[in-house]
Amino acid sequence: AKCSSLENILESTSQSTKEHMNRLETKVDSVHVKLDRSLNFHEYNEMLLKNQVWGYSADVDTQDNLVSNGYTDDEAEYVVQTAAVLRDTSLQLRRGVFPDEDADNFDKGISMEMPDDDPIFSEAANDELLPHWKEFAAALKQFTPAM
């Protein structure tokens, strides 16, 4: 009878311990979720603070100025439009906002599409965009999404 009583006490204690461990595990999981959120929020705020002093360093030229410097009308238009897209995208990324230009497109990522009928431009036109691509790459590298 004593053994049976001790077995019942042991079983009860074991069950109670398991229930207590389950509650503790649930609480630990909850703390981990809160900690992850807090860390993400801190990283986001850190990015915003760092970017308060950041400025877009690449010059955005006008189409007329590019044409007067020897670019064709098509090249100048391409450079101006592409530079504007890169600048706007970089600015959004620096603010922690993932650019969402095409809400109908369900693909993930940033799309920098160029129509198939666009001509291949001179190396000088592409060199003109290099500072804008560098700004974009730096913004993408430091990007921390908004909560």
Side-chain angles (χ1 to χ4, degrees):
K2 259 189 166 182
C3 279
S4 178
S5 175
L6 287 174
E7 285 177 353
N8 288 340
I9 291 171
L10 179 61
E11 181 64 31
S12 174
T13 303
S14 176
Q15 185 62 33
S16 175
T17 302
K18 285 179 185 176
E19 290 170 3
H20 186 67
M21 290 297 293
N22 286 340
R23 284 192 304 270
L24 285 175
E25 286 175 1
T26 301
K27 286 182 180 181
V28 167
D29 289 343
S30 174
V31 167
H32 280 286
V33 168
K34 289 177 184 177
L35 183 60
D36 286 343
R37 282 187 195 142
S38 180
L39 182 60
N40 289 340
F41 185 71
H42 174 72
E43 289 173 351
Y44 175 72
N45 283 331
E46 192 174 73
M47 179 204 64
L48 290 179
L49 285 172
K50 182 177 19 171
N51 288 332
Q52 282 181 344
V53 296
W54 171 85
Y56 193 80
S57 66
D59 292 330
V60 180
D61 221 335
T62 66
Q63 190 167 341
D64 290 338
N65 193 36
L66 290 169
V67 169
S68 68
N69 285 324
Y71 291 94
T72 66
D73 286 335
D74 288 340
E75 285 177 322
E77 181 180 2
Y78 162 74
V79 168
V80 168
Q81 288 179 355
T82 304
V85 168
L86 289 169
R87 180 196 60 224
D88 294 345
T89 303
S90 298
L91 292 171
Q92 287 178 339
L93 289 170
R94 292 285 183 166
R95 282 184 252 137
V97 177
F98 194 80
D100 187 18
E101 293 178 20
D102 187 2
D104 295 334
N105 185 356
F106 295 106
D107 293 336
K108 292 184 179 184
I110 297 173
S111 176
M112 297 288 200
E113 293 182 21
M114 301 190 40
D116 292 336
D117 58 348
D118 273 359
I120 296 175
F121 296 108
S122 69
E123 190 173 326
N126 289 315
D127 287 347
E128 189 75 33
L129 291 170
L130 187 57
H132 301 281
W133 282 111
K134 286 181 178 180
E135 282 285 350
F136 171 75
L140 191 58
K141 186 176 181 178
Q142 66 80 54
F143 176 67
T144 301
M147 305 295 291

